Amino acid sequence: MGTEVVLSERKTKILHAIIKNYLETGEPVGSRTISKYTDLNLSSATIRNEMADLEELGYIMQPHTSAGRIPSDKGYRWYVDSLMEEKEQEIIEMKELVLEKADKMEHLLKQAAKVLATNTNYATMISAPAYNRNKLKFIQLSKVDETQLIAVIVMEGNIIKNKIVTVEEEVDNETLLKLNMLLNTSLNGMSIEEINLGMIARLKEQAGVHSEVISDVLDAVGGAIQLDDDLEIYTSGATNIFKYPELSDKQSAQEIINAFEEKQQLAELVTKTLASEDNKGIQVYIGNETPVQTMKDCSVVTATYELAEGMQGTIGIIGPKRMDYEHVMKTLKTLMAELDTVFHKRE
């Protein structure tokens, strides 16, 4: 590309205005149009001088028959790169915001599990909110090196996943731009169920020689949208189980403690609770009704809280069958109301 010149703010604005105007109208752009188009308040003479400089630098050129200018390839490249940079910046900012929110949420949910355990004297768990109806908002493919792309996948609720995609052939910037546009126009707002084989075939056909890349990216998207296996679950008060003789003198207490430590069964409980038809409000599982085998000597009370449309988490209280149901339900309702206030105040 030769040596890059850093354009002054004035030149940047003028070049941006020329390209944007030309993209909209297809007509060569003159200095008078630019004086109307930008907020620069410059005289036509100044704009003409700046345009002459931009032409000398190779960003714009003059078609023979016209007094106006049109972007050169170098001008288009500059425009595309600055757009990409803007997008990258947006993604970085969005990531920072999401991570900051996640930290606050983790602290809040750990705290809530603790308060719940102290209040009820039972074992408690809270799952971090996860999407059970995940939709795609944005995909950004960027180059890592000759053989690898990184796909930044942004889902509703600004959940961000990064996936490395290995490619057989080197993908140039032009192609990358086309693939980004193709993916975003086709997949925006889609849920995993809607991305069916017909759609994949159509996308691959549109991508032509790069259909393999599309295929790999779609695999990555599929992996990212699935309900997380690494569901975050915060627990507290598991040892409270030992306070109840009917649980502590069997091996069931140890099994329950293990379930709390390994969390795999708790994740199943969350998944089943969220998947059930009537998952709004409070559910009570007594003894054998519980979806988790090790808790068949217990009662499990769960509630679903909602962070945003389709983004839900589960709160669970595990205790003996003779638990104080009235107190547990009251405590749960209070906690849900508090979470609701906190989450919706932060929106």
Side-chain angles (χ1 to χ4, degrees), residues 229-253:
D229 301 330
D230 51 351
L231 191 63
E232 274 299 340
I233 295 178
Y234 308 108
T235 59
S236 189
T239 51
N240 284 343
I241 292 296
F242 288 120
K243 293 178 180 170
Y244 306 97
E246 70 267 43
L247 293 175
S248 63
D249 45 355
K250 294 184 189 165
Q251 113 194 57
S252 55

Side-chain angles (χ1 to χ4, degrees), residues 203-217:
L203 274 173
K204 287 174 76 165
E205 196 181 319
Q206 286 173 294
V209 290
H210 304 291
S211 65
E212 275 314 299
V213 180
I214 289 281
S215 196
D216 293 339
V217 171

Side-chain angles (χ1 to χ4, degrees), residues 14-15 25 39 43 76 88 101 204 240 251 253 255 262 266 278 282 290 305 311 330:
I14 289 173
L15 180 53
T25 64
D39 52 359
S43 67
Y76 280 127
E88 298 278 343
K101 268 192 171 177
K204 287 174 76 165
N240 284 343
Q251 113 194 57
E255 283 182 357
E262 287 163 16
L266 296 183
D278 51 350
I282 293 175
T290 166
Y305 70 90
M311 191 172 193
K330 215 160 129 188

